[in-house]
Amino acid sequence: MNIFYTCDDNFVCFAGISMISICENNRNIDVIDFYLLGDNISDNNKQALGELLIPYGRTISVIDVPQLEIPRELCNQRWPRSAYTRLFSGTLLPNTVKTALYLDCDTIIVGSLKELDTISSKYTVSGVKDCISGYYKENIGLEKDTVYINAGVLLMNLTELRKMDMNKAISDFFKTYSKTMFFADQDVLNGILKGNVGVLEPKYDMMTIHYSLSYKELIKIRRPSNYYSKEELEKAKENPSIVHFTTFMTNIRPWIEGADHPYTKDFEKYMAMTPWRNMGKQARTKRMKDKRIMAYILLAPKFLAYPILGFLHSVVRPLLKRRRK
């Protein structure tokens, strides 16, 4: 099984934590080869990653990523240039790698990945549906009911991906939709691969919002189109394989002070098994505190706040951006 991450030197610690969680919970997979498509990874961190995997008999190849042709406007503090590296994985990973599982660094693996190693997909990428309304999809040229996946966990058919001219695809997409897109590299991925995106069970990318809201609340706030049923999400919540620490207003990620994510203890357990065990918790920024306070104001009383918040987030927000364009 081939698994790869992309990051700069600031996020290597999280990639290492994620790798350890894979090794601990997937000892029944005979071969796992790790790859890191890195942006200026230090020699010390390269060595630390290699030594981390030796006890498990796993290997890692750190590939220094060359300068990629990413429009400057697509990059910012939240989505650095390294976030787009996964789109070029077909050319950056060895040609001998035909399929690979991409994982965001802010994931931990708490279950088996063995089934993913047996999937033979006709799609270029497969992932877990993201919880967004059809209006966001229309903003990037998709139909409301088109499959739209989260880009944090991707099962990638690199043979198909290598058939694409990625520089041209990104450039063409950006020229058309740069003024109306919201989700940066994720919009780019779904936009340029529309109609060629497969769907995985939600247990392979259980995001923070799934643990913060009930299914009823989720539907009211996000108003998703072409999404999972309540039964599918509840089953995944009870037995996840991959936990993805995405941001959400009322929840604090496990490496931040005051973390209250239900999988914080699991994250800390795996962190304690790495060279970054003593890195400490990050302080909450003013932006985090403001968002949290605003969230609690907006979400109470729920019977009134949820429909209003849902309408603002899922309808008004994307339509306003479209109108401004």
Side-chain angles (χ1 to χ4, degrees):
M1 187 175 195
N2 302 298
I3 301 176
F4 77 98
Y5 298 80
T6 70
C7 68
D8 58 23
D9 207 45
N10 295 317
F11 267 75
V12 167
C13 55
F14 299 111
I17 294 166
S18 182
M19 290 177 197
I20 276 289
S21 69
I22 292 174
C23 294
E24 283 289 307
N25 294 300
N26 286 272
R27 296 175 186 267
N28 61 335
I29 298 179
D30 292 334
V31 178
I32 299 179
D33 292 327
F34 288 101
Y35 296 87
L36 174 62
L37 302 180
D39 182 5
N40 294 315
I41 306 300
S42 70
D43 289 338
N44 285 341
N45 278 331
K46 289 178 182 178
Q47 181 178 347
L49 288 174
E51 294 174 352
L52 187 70
L53 302 175
I54 290 175
Y56 301 95
R58 310 302 191 185
T59 65
I60 182 168
S61 300
V62 180
I63 299 171
D64 296 319
V65 177
Q67 189 73 16
L68 300 173
E69 294 183 23
I70 308 297
R72 185 177 302 174
E73 295 85 348
L74 281 176
C75 303
N76 54 40
Q77 186 175 5
R78 184 177 180 186
W79 287 290
R81 184 171 295 273
S82 60
Y84 298 89
T85 306
R86 76 198 86 174
L87 298 175
F88 294 86
S89 55
T91 56
L92 295 173
L93 290 172
N95 287 333
T96 53
V97 179
K98 306 301 182 185
T99 61
L101 176 65
Y102 166 79
L103 296 173
D104 268 0
C105 294
D106 58 350
T107 58
I108 58 170
I109 287 64
V110 295
S112 175
L113 301 178
K114 197 170 182 64
E115 289 181 13
L116 292 180
D117 198 29
T118 63
I119 293 177
S120 178
S121 178
K122 64 179 181 180
Y123 298 103
T124 301
V125 299
S126 297
V128 171
K129 296 178 186 178
D130 212 342
C131 192
I132 67 170
S133 75
Y135 293 101
Y136 287 100
K137 298 177 187 180
E138 288 183 330
N139 275 14
I140 58 170
L142 305 178
E143 299 292 332
K144 282 187 177 181
D145 288 330
T146 302
V147 169
Y148 182 100
I149 60 174
N150 181 269
V153 177
L154 299 171
L155 188 60
M156 307 188 76
N157 183 335
L158 299 180
T159 301
E160 291 299 313
L161 195 65
R162 290 180 178 117
K163 296 176 183 178
M164 297 182 61
D165 183 342
M166 195 54 66
N167 285 327
K168 184 178 187 306
I170 293 176
S171 178
D172 290 346
F173 178 86
F174 184 73
K175 287 176 183 176
T176 305
Y177 300 109
S178 62
K179 302 295 185 182
T180 53
M181 58 189 290
F182 273 94
F183 304 112
D185 60 312
Q186 186 167 284
D187 275 351
V188 174
L189 174 80
N190 282 276
I192 65 178
L193 294 176
K194 59 182 176 182
N196 200 9
V197 175
V199 177
L200 300 176
E201 293 180 59
K203 70 177 182 178
Y204 291 115
D205 192 357
M206 288 302 291
M207 295 166 247
T208 301
I209 195 171
H210 298 138
Y211 295 100
S212 301
L213 300 173
S214 69
Y215 188 79
K216 185 177 180 180
E217 293 167 345
L218 189 69
I219 298 303
K220 280 186 177 180
I221 291 180
R222 289 296 179 88
R223 302 189 179 194
S225 62
N226 192 346
Y227 198 55
Y228 299 103
S229 67
K230 179 180 179 180
E231 291 71 26
E232 288 174 313
L233 272 186
E234 288 301 318
K235 180 182 177 183
K237 190 174 180 179
E238 291 173 5
N239 189 30
S241 293
I242 301 175
V243 175
H244 189 184
F245 297 115
T246 50
T247 58
F248 184 68
M249 288 189 296
T250 60
N251 197 288
I252 298 174
R253 300 162 99 181
W255 53 88
I256 307 294
E257 290 178 354
D260 52 2
H261 192 287
Y263 277 85
T264 295
K265 293 296 183 184
D266 297 80
F267 175 87
E268 291 172 344
K269 178 181 73 173
Y270 297 123
M271 183 177 72
M273 302 169 71
T274 74
W276 302 280
R277 61 182 66 88
N278 297 319
M279 67 178 181
K281 297 285 182 107
Q282 298 176 13
R284 277 188 281 172
T285 64
K286 183 179 184 302
R287 184 170 179 268
M288 292 178 189
K289 295 175 183 177
D290 290 347
K291 284 180 68 175
R292 193 170 172 84
I293 293 170
M294 182 59 67
Y296 284 123
I297 293 173
L298 289 173
L299 297 183
K302 293 181 179 180
F303 76 92
L304 180 62
Y306 279 17
I308 294 174
L309 183 60
F311 180 71
L312 292 174
H313 178 276
S314 302
V315 180
V316 175
R317 188 174 179 233
L319 288 180
L320 274 178
K321 195 151 194 176
R322 203 181 306 174
R323 177 165 181 166
R324 285 171 183 164
K325 177 191 175 184

